[in-house]
Amino acid sequence: NGRIAGGLKGLRIVVLMNMFDPRELENDKNDEKLQKLEKEVHAECEEIGVVEKITVFSKHPAGVMIVKFTQPTAASDAVNTFNGKVRENGRKVEASYWDGVTDYTCRDMEKEEKETEKRLDEFGDWLENQALPDEFKLKVEE
């Protein structure tokens, strides 16, 4: 009845892991390597079925790309085609359906923490420099 296959739309999103080495993309001027990789994968996937969207997680250590197809059958064929395939770069691809939960976005946690701390310090300084209205000042009776 389609429930196992993800409802009426079915499973249409495929996760491709080990597609690239993120260290190779770090020094990629104008995202040339990234765009080339995306075009390559798009062309390969278009042979399988209509591609709705491709997302590359360039900072993910596992070299993750996500491909969304318009048809569940195309996604199924893509998993079968890509899983275990060795790419030109010598990497063995792992293909599977997206579980609907996993977020492959990689953030620089140290940098984010430092930025948050700086922002909070600036806010604290701003608060301390505000003039307190008389009705909020502490009144002490002697």
Side-chain angles (χ1 to χ4, degrees), residues 10-121:
L11 298 173
R12 302 180 303 137
I13 302 173
V14 176
V15 178
L16 303 174
M17 297 184 105
N18 214 18
M19 292 294 285
F20 58 89
D21 184 346
R23 293 174 295 201
E24 291 174 7
L25 299 178
E26 280 177 4
N27 302 324
D28 188 11
K29 301 293 181 225
N30 302 323
D31 292 333
E32 290 172 15
K33 288 180 183 176
L34 188 66
Q35 289 174 355
K36 182 182 176 214
L37 174 69
E38 200 171 333
K39 282 180 185 172
E40 269 177 35
V41 173
H42 194 277
E44 287 179 61
C45 290
E46 279 290 330
E47 291 176 16
I48 298 168
V50 180
V51 175
E52 203 171 297
K53 181 180 178 181
I54 291 183
T55 307
V56 181
F57 295 91
S58 59
K59 289 182 174 41
H60 197 284
V64 176
M65 295 180 80
I66 290 184
V67 182
K68 183 177 183 182
F69 290 93
T70 56
Q71 296 297 315
T73 53
S76 173
D77 293 344
V79 169
N80 294 332
T81 301
F82 280 97
N83 199 31
K85 182 179 181 182
V86 178
R87 307 232 3 119
E88 290 175 12
N89 59 12
R91 295 173 148 269
K92 186 176 179 182
V93 178
E94 294 175 33
S96 61
Y97 291 108
W98 182 50
D99 61 11
V101 179
T102 307
D103 181 6
Y104 294 99
T105 308
C106 286
R107 295 177 175 89
D108 186 345
M109 296 307 279
E110 256 182 61
K111 184 180 176 187
E112 281 187 22
E113 283 177 22
K114 285 179 183 175
E115 287 174 358
T116 300
E117 191 174 320
K118 180 183 175 214
R119 201 175 66 247
L120 290 174
D121 285 344

